[in-house]
């Protein structure tokens, strides 16, 4: 197969979403697909790439319902001024693999490059969780449903499998991950993200974009630099009485978009670009639905095996912090050093706009490999419904 490279990456600011209080979310008046379109324009302009060069476009979205249904990925194509101006020849698709949707979209473009079908691909992801909230509200509206055939399935604990908080409770209990450890990991995430923000690190990947009323949105709004263990310890369990999973050690509802430009060696030469990283492989897997948080660790194991690498070969890790329990489980199970995981914080502090997160993980990882002069990096996420996905990058 041909080599596929991550030529560039960017994202919007990630904002705190609140379906009942839209005023707290700077993106509450902006459709998620329109935000992605605006981001794509900024990314292509920064790299000086003509939109007509884009041969394939994949979009990740975990909740492709209501206004987030994108007509096979065509709406963001039309909402991007550059892609629309370049014509309609570029094919597109929308991919729902829940929290792995962004990485799945990136994988789609990567595979097209690797088999020689294209030289330039674009992968994006978005979620506006104020406008299209996840979970109970969509079930109550009948927008999301569980097939009747699954209602009385003996092997599936449906009440747990459909509630991500309960799956995190299950994983923490079965793996002896304590509330104290999860809260400490959450505090660390906020501290690291706050330090990275103060140093200007995120300015290298975060574009300043505008709302429909032309207000500029520049900063992530979930980071809490003043988070303490004492404050986290005061929070009540969020999903079950007497439980360990709280709002503090869970990722918040978030709105945002991300995008990545993928190229072959030929395209890099034609556009005179230096890539961030080479994509070594992307691997996904399935796990028991009620233990979905274990999916990241299993996907990492499979990705390492396919690449012929060991845990010690990986210099930096980006493991999605859907809940503290997810990276803690992966670190304990695989023997990963804490200091190499999520060095600029993760979703507990930055937020988790579901469809956008995977590309953020990959892009942030590639930038960190460049900054720290590491060779290999791995990004991974657990996936609702009982899956996991992992990506391995090599610094160019």
């Amino acid at each position: 197969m041909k080599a596929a490279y991550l030529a560039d990456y960017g994202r919007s600011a990630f904002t705190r979403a609140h379906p009942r209080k839209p005023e707290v979310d700077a993106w509450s008046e902006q459709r998620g697909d329109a935000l992605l379109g605006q981001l794509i324009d900024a990314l292509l302009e920064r790299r000086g790439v003509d939109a007509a060069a884009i041969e394939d476009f994949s979009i990740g979205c975990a909740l492709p319902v209501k206004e987030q249904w994108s007509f096979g990925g065509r709406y963001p194509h039309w909402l991007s001024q550059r892609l629309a101006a370049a014509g309609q020849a570029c094919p597109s698709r929308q991919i729902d693999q829940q929290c792995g949707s962004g990485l799945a979209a990136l994988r789609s473009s990567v595979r097209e490059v690797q088999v020689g079908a294209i030289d330039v691909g674009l992968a994006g992801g978005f979620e506006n969780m104020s406008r299209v909230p996840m979970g109970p509200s969509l079930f109550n509206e009948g927008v999301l449903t569980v097939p009747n055939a699954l209602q009385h399935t003996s092997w599936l604990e449906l009440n747990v499998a459909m509630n991500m908080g309960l799956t995190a409770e299950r994983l923490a209990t079965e793996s002896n991950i304590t509330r104290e450890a999860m809260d400490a990991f959450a505090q660390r995430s906020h501290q690291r993200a706050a330090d990275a923000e103060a140093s200007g690190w995120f300015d290298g990947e975060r574009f300043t974009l505008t709302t429909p009323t032309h207000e500029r949105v520049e900063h992530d709004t979930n980071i809490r630099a003043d988070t303490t263990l004492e404050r986290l310890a005061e929070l009540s369990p969020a999903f079950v009485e007497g439980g360990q999973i709280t709002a503090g050690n869970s990722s918040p509802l978030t709105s945002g978009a991300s995008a990545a430009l993928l190229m072959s060696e030929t395209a890099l030469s034609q556009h005179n670009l230096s890539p961030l990283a080479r994509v070594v492989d992307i691997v996904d897997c399935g796990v028991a639905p009620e233990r979905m948080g274990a999916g990241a660790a299993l996907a990492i194991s499979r990705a390492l095996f396919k690449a012929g690498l060991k845990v010690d070969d990986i210099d930096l890790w980006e493991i999605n912090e859907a809940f503290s329990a997810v990276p803690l489980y992966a670190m304990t199970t695989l023997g990963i050093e804490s200091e190499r995981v999520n060095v600029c914080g993760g979703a507990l502090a930055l937020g988790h706009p579901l469809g956008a997160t995977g590309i953020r993980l990959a892009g942030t990882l590639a930038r960190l490999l460049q900054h720290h002069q590491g060779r290999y990096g791995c990004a991974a996420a657990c996936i609702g419904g009982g899956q996991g996905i992992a990506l391995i990058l090599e610094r160019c």
Side-chain angles (χ1 to χ4, degrees):
M1 290 195 300
K2 293 185 176 182
Y5 296 90
L6 181 57
D8 202 6
Y9 145 75
R11 66 176 177 90
S12 72
F14 285 0
T15 58
R16 179 170 292 275
H18 199 308
R20 295 185 301 279
K21 297 179 181 178
E23 65 274 10
V24 308
D25 186 354
W27 295 131
S28 64
E29 297 300 317
Q30 179 72 284
R31 287 174 58 110
D33 49 11
L35 179 61
L36 177 58
Q38 187 182 166
L39 173 64
I40 289 166
D41 291 339
L43 183 65
L44 295 180
E45 181 179 10
R46 179 168 77 179
R47 272 307 187 203
V49 174
D50 190 332
I54 306 299
E55 301 169 87
D56 189 81
F57 183 23
S58 294
I59 302 161
C61 181
L63 293 167
V65 297
K66 293 188 170 182
E67 66 182 36
Q68 293 194 160
W69 177 71
S70 71
F71 200 22
R74 296 307 271 176
Y75 290 172
H77 187 291
W78 298 340
L79 290 163
S80 161
Q81 294 181 13
R82 291 176 180 267
L83 289 177
Q88 306 301 328
C90 176
S92 61
R93 68 202 54 82
Q94 185 174 51
I95 298 172
D96 162 19
Q97 199 173 2
Q98 294 298 284
C99 299
S101 299
L103 279 173
L106 190 145
R107 175 182 57 198
S108 179
S109 295
V110 165
R111 292 287 188 256
E112 291 292 306
V113 173
Q114 289 176 330
V115 300
I118 65 170
D119 286 303
V120 183
L122 185 64
F126 71 90
E127 216 81 43
N128 188 313
M129 299 177 75
S130 286
R131 297 171 69 91
V132 183
M134 66 181 297
S137 62
L138 292 178
F139 280 104
N140 292 337
E141 291 178 41
V143 175
L144 302 181
T145 60
V146 178
N148 290 334
L150 289 177
Q151 296 290 347
H152 304 291
T153 305
S154 60
W155 62 269
L156 180 61
E157 295 184 61
L158 198 59
N159 63 323
V160 176
M162 299 303 295
N163 185 311
M164 299 303 100
L166 294 181
T167 67
E169 288 280 6
R170 176 71 60 87
L171 184 67
T173 299
E174 292 183 354
S175 306
N176 296 315
I177 300 172
T178 66
R179 164 77 183 268
E180 291 74 20
M182 290 188 283
D183 285 352
F185 191 88
Q187 182 196 32
R188 187 194 80 158
S189 183
H190 282 279
Q191 288 177 338
R192 289 185 170 188
D195 289 345
E197 178 68 25
S199 72
W201 167 258
F202 294 123
D203 294 341
E205 65 185 51
R206 185 180 56 207
F207 286 90
T208 296
L209 304 175
T210 59
T211 69
T213 55
H214 307 293
E215 295 178 21
R216 292 160 56 90
V217 183
E218 302 180 69
H219 300 292
D220 305 313
T221 60
N222 290 300
I223 302 171
R224 294 183 175 178
D226 60 350
T227 297
T228 65
L229 289 176
E230 291 74 22
R231 288 183 180 179
L232 290 168
E234 292 172 355
L235 297 174
S236 300
F239 299 98
V240 62
E241 186 176 351
Q244 304 180 82
I245 307 300
T246 71
N249 54 45
S250 308
S251 57
L253 297 181
T254 310
S255 300
S258 60
L261 190 61
L262 289 309
M263 288 188 174
S264 67
E265 286 189 34
T266 300
L268 289 170
S269 178
Q270 289 175 343
H271 290 86
N272 195 28
L273 294 178
S274 297
L276 294 172
R278 178 180 71 90
V279 178
V280 177
D281 212 339
I282 307 178
V283 174
D284 54 7
C285 66
V287 297
E290 65 273 15
R291 298 184 74 249
M292 71 93 194
L298 180 57
I300 289 169
S301 296
R302 292 190 175 184
L304 292 174
F305 178 79
K306 282 196 66 179
L309 299 171
K310 303 184 296 295
V311 167
D312 290 343
D313 294 321
I314 304 300
D315 298 294
L316 292 165
W317 303 81
E318 284 291 318
I319 305 176
N320 189 37
E321 298 170 0
F323 302 91
S324 290
V326 176
L328 287 173
Y329 176 82
M331 290 157 57
T332 301
T333 303
L334 301 175
I336 299 172
E337 294 177 12
S338 171
E339 291 309 304
R340 292 187 288 151
V341 177
N342 301 357
V343 298
C344 289
L348 292 167
L350 294 171
H352 180 19
L354 309 176
T357 289
I359 292 175
R360 184 201 70 78
L361 293 170
T364 296
L365 177 65
R367 294 184 64 237
L368 287 168
L369 286 173
Q370 290 285 341
H371 181 75
H372 292 279
Q373 294 294 288
R375 181 176 181 183
Y376 291 112
C378 181
C382 62
I383 297 173
Q387 299 186 78
I389 190 166
L391 159 80
I392 295 179
L393 296 177
E394 182 180 21
R395 179 176 62 87
C396 296

